[in-house]
């Protein structure tokens, strides 16, 4: 009997999450396994969970050396063909292994060997455990009866046009802030859901989920009931995430609302993808695989032949160019849905006036007036902490991190609780009593952060309820903050960019922007695009409900192009202008980029490695890949973080296909070189910062 079983062997390519670009590993098994099934295999001395990616007819290595698959996991159905295609594409495009992408995309409990093999006790499937407590994970919602607004003519047109799109098409819903884009999404989603399909709704940040969740529940729960919605973001517990996956994969859950990671969810009946605030850089993973969830959304839409809606008041220039080239369809929401007009924008020239604690008199007066009217104020300052630098006036000593080439930021929440913190490696330092360099016993601080602004405003506006929202705010507290962003008791919000995105504040009339100039002179060619979008977005929080909003920007450069166009609320003019510059300089979106980052204890070693890559390019490839440009390696702007020094090599081409072909080839040399020189490196495709 046994002989008969072992007579026939099957060989498989299994994807494992190992830090090698080598894609797949070969294993054997005595029976047929479906593609997409998870298996436990030996790897070196460890056991690992992997995913069967393909069946091999003839092994590429000696069959006698091929190891056996230990265990085939049948507790969760095999991943679908469409999903395997998605992870394969992602791996290929972003130059990662299929294992790194696929295994990391699934819930932790499905990829832990310990979930299955613990102390010789086989099959203790986490899914079984979850099913025993199934009820615990079902949310109880309090549904509020909300009057559905009547669509205005722009909204109606957008809904009509998109509802009639039955195949793949990327649509840009270009609507000014507060124009009611959400309402358009909901109308289109409803039709899709009623015809039995699922909707994937992506938002850039966790903080934006509670508000949307509430809207979706109020609107759709009465129609679709218990299995309406699942949320997916990094704040979920392992069990919650597994629960979401199961329900989505079974097609039970209708809507998936999530951050970028949700792009990898199994959605067998996916009929529509919405990417809200598509311009937001949070859609790009900044670590690990460095994928863009927005770009993958478009790929997924194309692969499934379904529509993809990108929404924004400040579309990315990549998207804008695709509209100009008629690849994307643009639909406009020209006016605000509720109030009559966009907020008025006022510049305060701070060049020749005295600021007190960073504030001009005009701003303080305006806050006062606004509070008297019982309206709310938002102060935007893109810097957390108390003050960016501690320094010595006598000898010019500056507070720096011991492990990074950065300054440490003074944090001060009430007098006694002060420390210096490095915002790059996270290390905290005690505040020196004397200057470490000249022993002067009076150290000063420079610049402003959210805590300093909070301290000052609470001294001036004693009766106002002030709330600071940045990543230092107590986590539990700020979950509540975002849940209750429209609570009546808050008068003044102080916050970083966390506050600028997407939130719909009621009764917010005045927005004050304190330090916008900081970004004007950045070397990054995307800086002006980012700044403009950010200013429009922050400004867009003002006056969204029945009250005329007002924005005040303090700047020393009121004549700068950015501010001039901002006054006109003219994103189109701005986008076209910047595109012209980019075209002349042949920069993205008119060209495509990849960045090789090298890390070493000494930057000279990193630079040496990158220079060698450049030499290889000159010797072997320059004449073959004629559109590929390789720039000189340079140290990163922040050279050292946690005692590691970094340098970068920029590769660019006006031809995306050629760039990718070239990268595929040269990375073999890069890997070899890195091994010989013992350099750590990674590649980033379509980097947002160079
Ligand atoms: P956006 O996402 O475009 O910035 P929202 O979708 O948040 O704007 O809409 C802003 C506000 O306008 C919301 O409070 C929303 O309920 C309201 N709104 C949207 N459409 C309409 C409409 N047709 N009539 C009245 N109010 C609307
Ligand atoms: Zn540091
Ligand atoms: Zn000193």
């Amino acid at each position: 009997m046994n002989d008969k079983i072992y007579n026939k062997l099957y060989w498989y390519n299994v994807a494992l999450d190992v830090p090698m670009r080598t894609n797949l590993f070969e294993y054997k098994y005595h029976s047929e396994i479906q593609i997409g099934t998870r298996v436990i295999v030996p790897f070196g001395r460890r056991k690992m969970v992997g995913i069967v990616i393909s069946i091999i007819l003839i092994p590429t290595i000696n069959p006698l050396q091929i190891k056996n698959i230990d265990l085939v996991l049948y507790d969760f159905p095999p991943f679908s063909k469409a999903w395997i295609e998605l992870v394969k594409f992602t791996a290929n495009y972003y130059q990662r292994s299929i294992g790194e992408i696929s295994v990391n995309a699934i819930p932790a409990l499905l990829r832990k060997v310990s979930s299955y093999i613990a102390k010789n006790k086989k099959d203790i499937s986490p899914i079984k455990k979850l099913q025993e407590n199934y009820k615990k994970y079902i949310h109880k919602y309090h549904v509020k009866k909300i009057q559905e607004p009547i669509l205005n003519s722009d909204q109606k047109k957008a809904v009509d046009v998109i509802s009639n799109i039955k195949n793949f098409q990327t649509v840009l819903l270009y609507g000014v802030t507060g124009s009611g884009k959400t309402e358009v999404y909901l109308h289109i989603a409803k039709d899709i859901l009623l015809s039995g399909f699922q909707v994937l709704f992506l938002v850039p940040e966790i903080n934006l989920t509670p508000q949307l969740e509430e809207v979706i529940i109020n609107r759709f729960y009465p129609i679709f009931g218990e299995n309406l919605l699942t949320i997916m973001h990094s704040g979920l517990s392992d069990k919650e995430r597994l629960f979401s996956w199961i329900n989505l994969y079974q097609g039970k859950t209708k809507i998936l609302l999530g951050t970028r990671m949700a792009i990898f969810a199994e959605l067998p009946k996916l009929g529509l993808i919405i990417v809200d605030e598509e311009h937001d850089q949070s859609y790009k993973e900044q670590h690990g695989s460095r994928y863009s969830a927005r770009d993958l959304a478009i790929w997924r839409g194309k692969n499934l032949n379904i529509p993809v809606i990108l929404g924004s008041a400040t579309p990315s220039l990549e998207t804008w160019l695709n509209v100009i080239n008629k690849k994307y369809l643009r639909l406009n929401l020209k006016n605000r849905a509720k109030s009559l007009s966009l907020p008025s924008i006022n510049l305060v020239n701070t060049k020749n006036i005295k600021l007190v604690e960073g504030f001009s008199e005009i701003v303080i007066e305006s806050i006062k007036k606004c509070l008297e009217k019982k309206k709310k104020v938002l102060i935007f300052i893109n810097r957390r902490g108390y003050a960016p630098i501690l320094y010595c006036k006598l000898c010019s000593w500056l507070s720096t991190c011991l492990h990074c080439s950065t300054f440490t930021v003074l944090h001060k929440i009430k007098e006694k609780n002060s420390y210096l913190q490095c915002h790059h490696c996270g290390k905290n330092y005690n505040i020196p009593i004397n200057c470490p360099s000249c022993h002067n016993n009076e150290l000063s601080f420079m610049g402003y952060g959210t805590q300093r602004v909070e301290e000052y405003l609470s001294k001036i506006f004693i009766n106002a309820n002030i709330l600071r929202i940045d990543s230092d705010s107590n986590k539990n507290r700020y979950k509540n903050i975002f849940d209750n962003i429209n609570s009546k008791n808050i008068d003044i919000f102080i916050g970083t960019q966390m506050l600028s995105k997407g939130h719909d504040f009621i009764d917010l009339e005045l927005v004050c922007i304190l330090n916008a100039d900081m970004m004007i002179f950045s070397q990054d060619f995307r800086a002006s695009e980012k700044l403009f979008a950010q200013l429009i977005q922050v400004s867009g929080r003002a006056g969204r409900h029945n009250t005329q909003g007002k924005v005040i920007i303090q700047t020393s450069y009121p004549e700068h192009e950015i501010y001039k166009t901002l006054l006109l609320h003219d994103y189109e003019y701005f986008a076209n202008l910047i595109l012209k510059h980019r075209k002349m300089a042949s920069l993205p979106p008119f060209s495509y980029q990849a960045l090789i980052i090298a890390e070493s204890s000494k930057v000279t070693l990193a630079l040496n490695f990158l220079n060698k890559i450049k030499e290889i390019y000159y010797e072997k490839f320059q004449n073959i890949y004629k559109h590929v440009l390789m720039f000189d390696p340079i140290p990163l702007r922040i050279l050292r973080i946690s005692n590691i020094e970094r340098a970068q090599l920029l590769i660019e081409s006006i031809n995306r296909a050629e760039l990718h072909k070239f990268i595929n080839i040269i990375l073999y040399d890069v890997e070899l070189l890195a091994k010989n020189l013992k350099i750590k490196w990674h590649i980033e495709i379509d980097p947002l910062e160079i």
Side-chain angles (χ1 to χ4, degrees):
M1 183 71 187
N2 267 353
D3 278 343
K4 209 172 173 192
I5 293 172
Y6 286 102
N7 248 348
K8 177 134 179 64
L9 275 180
Y10 296 81
W11 290 286
Y12 299 97
N13 268 327
V14 175
L16 296 175
D17 178 23
V18 289
M20 282 185 226
R21 229 164 47 87
T22 320
N23 268 333
L24 303 164
F25 301 89
E26 295 176 17
Y27 288 92
K28 63 176 191 270
Y29 201 60
H30 56 76
S31 64
E32 211 170 322
I33 307 172
Q34 212 177 316
I35 289 172
T37 306
R38 289 166 310 124
V39 291
I40 294 182
V41 296
F43 186 80
R45 282 199 222 146
R46 290 183 291 164
K47 304 267 184 213
M48 292 181 91
V49 173
I51 299 169
V52 172
I53 294 292
S54 55
I55 297 168
I56 343 173
L57 295 177
I58 303 161
T60 60
I61 49 178
N62 179 355
L64 295 174
Q65 286 175 0
I66 296 185
K67 290 183 190 156
N68 248 319
I69 288 172
D70 284 346
L71 195 62
V72 182
L73 303 172
Y74 288 117
D75 59 339
F76 191 82
F79 299 113
S80 67
K81 193 170 154 256
W83 190 83
I84 298 283
E85 281 168 8
L86 171 69
V87 293
K88 271 187 177 171
F89 170 80
T90 309
N92 185 34
Y93 186 83
Y94 293 101
Q95 296 291 342
R96 295 299 188 274
S97 75
I98 296 178
E100 184 182 347
I101 300 292
S102 60
V103 177
N104 279 310
I106 67 179
L109 289 172
L110 293 183
R111 63 177 131 96
K112 271 196 205 147
V113 175
S114 59
S115 305
Y116 295 92
I117 305 175
K119 292 181 191 139
N120 302 328
K121 209 172 79 184
K122 276 193 180 177
D123 194 13
I124 40 156
S125 160
I127 295 191
K128 269 189 206 155
K129 280 196 241 164
L130 205 66
Q131 272 157 353
E132 284 158 19
N133 294 307
Y134 194 81
K135 284 236 161 69
K136 202 178 121 195
Y137 293 93
I138 297 176
H139 283 273
K140 296 270 172 296
Y141 293 112
H142 306 283
V143 184
K144 270 189 247 153
K145 216 173 151 55
I146 304 269
Q147 183 74 32
E148 198 175 301
I150 299 164
L151 297 183
N152 61 36
S153 60
D154 277 351
Q155 286 173 319
K156 212 182 262 146
K157 187 182 164 210
V159 171
D160 284 348
V161 172
I162 303 172
S163 297
N164 279 313
I165 298 172
K166 299 291 173 225
N167 297 313
F168 167 63
Q169 167 74 54
T170 307
V171 179
L172 168 65
L173 185 62
Y174 170 57
V176 298
T177 52
S179 57
K181 290 186 282 292
T182 316
E183 209 44 53
V184 173
Y185 304 145
L186 293 178
H187 271 79
I188 296 159
K190 186 175 166 186
D191 285 349
I192 301 273
L193 298 173
L194 283 173
S195 39
F197 289 99
Q198 292 172 306
V199 173
L200 170 58
F201 197 141
L202 295 177
V203 290
E205 287 208 12
I206 291 189
N207 310 326
L208 288 168
T209 51
Q211 196 164 331
L212 260 170
E213 184 180 3
E214 194 184 318
V215 172
I216 291 172
I217 294 293
N218 288 338
R219 187 67 68 83
F220 291 147
Y221 192 88
I223 312 174
F224 300 103
E226 204 166 74
N227 288 316
L228 172 65
L229 176 71
T230 220
I231 309 282
M232 199 177 280
H233 53 58
S234 56
L236 295 191
S237 73
D238 285 354
K239 281 189 185 150
E240 285 171 322
R241 208 164 149 219
L242 180 59
F243 183 79
S244 298
W245 259 74
I246 297 171
N247 287 331
L248 288 165
Y249 196 16
Q250 291 170 343
K252 259 196 208 163
T253 312
K254 306 267 183 308
I255 302 179
L256 170 57
L257 171 63
T259 52
R260 60 174 181 258
M261 67 178 354
I263 192 62
F264 290 112
E266 272 277 21
L267 293 150
K269 296 191 214 156
L270 187 58
L272 171 72
I273 307 178
I274 298 163
V275 185
D276 195 23
E277 314 289 353
E278 68 86 24
H279 62 277
D280 200 295
Q281 304 224 339
S282 306
Y283 283 120
K284 185 106 200 292
E285 168 69 83
Q286 295 296 329
H287 306 278
S289 43
R290 291 164 204 268
Y291 63 87
S292 156
R294 184 216 33 220
D295 295 351
L296 288 178
I298 294 164
W299 185 88
R300 214 171 162 178
K302 190 171 178 193
N303 197 42
L304 295 173
N305 199 22
I306 58 170
V308 179
I309 308 177
L310 308 179
S312 180
T314 52
S316 66
L317 293 180
E318 279 72 14
T319 296
W320 199 252
L321 184 64
N322 280 322
V323 168
I324 292 174
N325 292 337
K326 305 245 165 8
K327 276 170 83 179
Y328 297 176
L329 177 69
R330 180 177 119 182
L331 293 166
N332 304 320
L333 304 181
K334 293 180 285 293
N335 302 307
R336 282 201 149 178
K338 278 186 173 167
S339 57
L340 292 174
S341 50
L342 286 163
S344 66
I345 297 186
N346 310 269
L347 302 177
V348 175
N349 186 348
T350 52
K351 208 170 224 161
N352 300 315
I353 60 171
K354 199 172 170 296
L355 300 180
V356 180
E357 288 292 296
F359 283 90
S360 62
E361 213 180 306
I362 303 179
V363 168
I364 294 294
E365 276 309 306
S366 306
I367 297 175
K368 202 172 181 180
K369 273 195 201 131
C370 185
L371 295 179
E372 277 165 7
K373 283 197 278 176
K374 300 261 176 284
K375 298 286 183 193
K376 296 175 181 182
V377 180
L378 188 155
I379 312 284
F380 177 75
I381 171 161
N382 216 355
R383 212 165 223 170
R384 64 191 177 90
Y386 190 86
I389 301 178
L390 188 72
Y391 74 109
C392 169
K393 274 183 182 155
L394 291 184
C395 76
S396 313
W397 171 86
L398 299 163
S399 60
T400 51
C401 179
L402 292 177
H403 311 284
C404 310
S405 48
T406 52
F407 297 113
T408 48
V409 177
L410 176 64
H411 282 248
K412 181 174 158 203
I413 312 161
K414 311 231 163 63
E415 284 309 322
K416 51 185 173 177
N417 203 356
S418 298
Y419 56 95
L420 292 165
Q421 186 184 64
C422 171
H423 284 185
H424 293 271
C425 71
K427 195 168 164 42
N428 289 345
Y429 298 86
N430 289 331
I431 295 179
I433 299 164
N434 300 318
C435 167
S437 167
C438 74
H439 306 293
N440 161 29
N441 61 8
E442 213 175 323
L443 291 172
S444 318
F445 41 82
M446 205 189 296
Y448 306 91
T450 45
Q451 293 171 351
R452 188 166 173 189
V453 167
E454 181 184 25
E455 184 185 272
Y456 180 60
L457 290 183
S458 54
K459 272 182 201 154
I460 302 190
F461 302 106
I462 302 167
N463 296 321
N465 237 324
I466 301 180
L467 187 65
R468 175 171 55 80
I469 305 185
D470 54 34
S471 47
D472 297 319
S473 320
N474 179 310
K475 280 274 155 58
N476 290 327
R477 214 172 122 226
Y478 88 50
K479 189 173 176 294
N480 289 335
I481 294 164
F482 284 105
D483 285 347
N484 303 316
I485 209 149
N486 287 319
S487 93
K488 285 265 177 281
N489 341 337
I490 309 299
D491 303 305
I492 303 177
F493 297 93
I494 299 169
T496 55
Q497 47 90 25
M498 277 172 85
L499 261 194
S500 68
K501 303 177 179 182
H503 294 288
D504 195 24
F505 292 89
I506 294 175
D507 282 340
L508 179 68
E509 188 172 290
L510 176 66
V511 168
C512 307
I513 300 173
L514 298 187
N515 65 346
D517 286 351
M518 246 170 56
M519 274 168 76
I520 286 190
F521 301 106
S522 162
Q523 287 178 355
D524 185 352
F525 73 87
R526 280 197 174 83
S528 56
E529 178 186 352
K530 270 188 235 171
L531 177 60
F532 195 82
Q534 191 168 60
L535 292 175
I536 291 255
Q537 295 292 342
V538 186
S539 305
R541 300 312 112 209
R544 293 163 71 91
H545 298 259
N546 313 321
T547 139
Q548 176 59 42
K550 182 177 174 183
V551 179
I552 309 181
I553 302 174
Q554 293 190 163
T555 170
S556 301
Y557 308 92
E559 67 292 336
H560 195 283
E561 207 171 49
I562 274 200
Y563 296 122
K564 279 194 190 122
T565 12
L566 195 70
L567 292 183
L568 304 171
H569 291 280
D570 199 344
Y571 182 76
E572 254 181 277
Y573 173 80
F574 176 80
N576 293 335
L577 183 78
I578 300 280
L579 274 182
K580 228 186 256 168
H581 298 326
R582 298 264 184 98
K583 188 167 190 178
M584 281 192 306
S586 204
L587 283 166
F590 297 95
S591 63
Y592 305 91
Q593 297 180 327
L595 209 53
I596 297 182
I597 310 274
E599 301 181 343
S600 179
S601 54
K602 290 258 174 317
V603 72
T604 44
L605 298 176
L607 284 168
N608 173 46
F609 164 71
L610 297 176
N611 273 315
K612 287 223 156 68
I613 297 174
K614 205 171 168 188
E615 279 165 27
I616 294 173
Y617 155 75
Y618 279 137
E619 277 165 29
K620 290 182 25 188
F621 302 114
Q622 196 185 17
N623 294 327
I624 306 171
Y625 302 96
K626 292 205 166 16
H627 297 295
V628 171
L629 285 175
M630 216 180 237
F631 291 77
D632 282 331
I634 51 169
L636 253 63
R637 193 174 48 81
I638 298 172
L639 171 69
R640 186 164 41 97
I641 289 180
S642 300
N643 294 325
I644 290 170
E645 302 194 339
R646 296 114 19 104
Q648 69 172 47
L649 173 65
L650 178 64
I651 310 170
E652 192 180 280
S653 176
I654 50 166
N655 182 326
R656 189 191 318 240
E658 192 183 294
L659 177 71
H660 282 253
K661 264 190 210 149
F662 167 69
I663 289 171
N664 269 322
I665 294 288
I666 198 161
L667 286 191
Y668 289 102
D669 289 299
V670 173
E671 272 184 328
L672 203 67
L673 198 62
K675 213 169 160 189
N676 290 338
L677 298 177
K678 297 197 175 62
I679 292 275
K680 245 185 105 180
W681 68 283
H682 67 259
I683 186 163
E684 173 159 14
I685 306 294
D686 304 333
L688 287 180
E689 252 172 76
I690 59 165

